[in-house]
Amino acid sequence: MRHRTHTDHDHLSLPQLLAVHFQRLLHETGLSQESFARAVREQHERRVPPAARTIEWSTRPDPIDCMKRDAEKVRRWLDDDVQARFPLEVFESFVMAFPDPRRLALQQEIAARAGLLVWPMPMGGDTQDCAELGALCEEAGEAIQSISGLLADGRIDEKDHHAAHAALTEVDELIAAAMAMRDRIQHQALGRRRNDQASEQSTSLRIAK
């Protein structure tokens, strides 16, 4: 597992970070600024009620001219040389306008600045399967939070004895949730029952001996 404690963009302000991801999106995918601005506008109009909007998008009758005007507005938000602050009102819409998996990469980098982790939740599908994943994510979050307490001073040592048992309990619960998900994948995706898995493990042990 690749572990990162910082990124190359830690020195950037949040608008500058958005600008880096925006420029990378344009250069690596060929998406036009006009198309991205249209996506931002659609997200904004979907997420923010009309009465709460302060952003004024172009009302030009010509669609092409309208897209160009909106793209210019988005560029100004990201331009350090222009005295126009990136509006908080459109922040979520801007991020959601990124296509996957670039959106997730941006969300993860933003969250990392606050010491948080981000992972995607499945949309639709079997309710119980999603519930199992939700339980796994919940246990992972609680285990990480508990272990982070041990690492408050940068290391785990004898001084963490008072909190060690609670952290171990959280880790054990995470392992149990992970094993439950493993069994579900084995059974539902590979058609293997628990007895089959135990037999395979026993066979592997005999071969190893």
Side-chain angles (χ1 to χ4, degrees):
M1 179 181 295
R2 187 162 61 100
H3 179 66
R4 293 173 61 183
T5 56
H6 66 279
T7 73
D8 295 335
H9 304 143
D10 288 347
H11 64 287
L12 300 178
S13 67
L14 185 55
Q16 289 173 333
L17 176 65
L18 297 179
V20 167
H21 281 260
F22 173 60
Q23 291 299 328
R24 183 183 299 163
L25 172 68
L26 300 183
H27 293 158
E28 295 180 359
T29 68
L31 184 72
S32 69
Q33 296 184 23
E34 290 76 15
S35 294
F36 183 80
R38 180 177 60 185
V40 174
R41 177 173 180 168
E42 290 174 350
Q43 289 286 342
H44 177 254
E45 292 177 343
R46 182 182 306 129
R47 294 171 180 277
V48 182
R53 296 174 193 164
T54 62
I55 303 298
E56 297 182 359
W57 298 102
S58 174
T59 57
R60 292 296 183 98
D62 179 66
I64 302 300
D65 189 26
C66 185
M67 290 175 62
K68 289 182 178 179
R69 296 275 181 160
D70 288 343
E72 177 62 28
K73 179 184 293 290
V74 172
R75 281 196 299 270
R76 288 174 62 85
W77 291 338
L78 300 173
D79 191 345
D80 284 338
D81 296 329
V82 177
Q83 297 300 315
R85 293 177 179 273
F86 191 96
L88 182 60
E89 177 186 331
V90 81
F91 171 74
E92 182 183 18
S93 302
F94 187 93
V95 173
M96 294 304 295
F98 280 78
D100 280 330
R102 293 174 183 273
R103 181 195 310 140
L104 178 60
L106 174 56
Q107 291 170 324
Q108 289 174 330
E109 192 160 353
I110 293 172
R113 290 172 163 235
L116 302 174
L117 295 174
V118 171
W119 55 78
M121 292 297 292
M123 301 299 292
D126 182 81
T127 302
Q128 186 58 37
D129 290 341
C130 293
E132 290 282 356
L133 178 58
L136 177 60
C137 292
E138 181 179 0
E139 295 298 346
E142 291 176 355
I144 291 171
Q145 183 176 8
S146 183
I147 296 170
S148 296
L150 302 182
L151 288 167
D153 60 354
R155 61 191 301 178
I156 298 176
D157 52 28
E158 294 83 357
K159 291 183 293 184
D160 300 303
H161 176 78
H162 65 287
H165 292 293
L168 288 173
T169 297
E170 296 295 348
V171 171
D172 287 341
E173 291 177 355
L174 171 58
I175 292 173
M179 291 302 296
M181 178 57 74
R182 184 180 188 278
D183 287 347
R184 178 171 291 273
I185 295 171
Q186 291 273 19
H187 174 65
Q188 296 183 190
L190 302 177
R192 298 177 183 174
R193 294 172 297 184
R194 189 181 300 273
N195 290 340
D196 297 333
Q197 297 171 39
S199 178
E200 287 182 2
Q201 293 173 356
S202 176
T203 300
S204 299
L205 287 174
R206 288 198 299 270
I207 292 174
K209 292 178 179 179

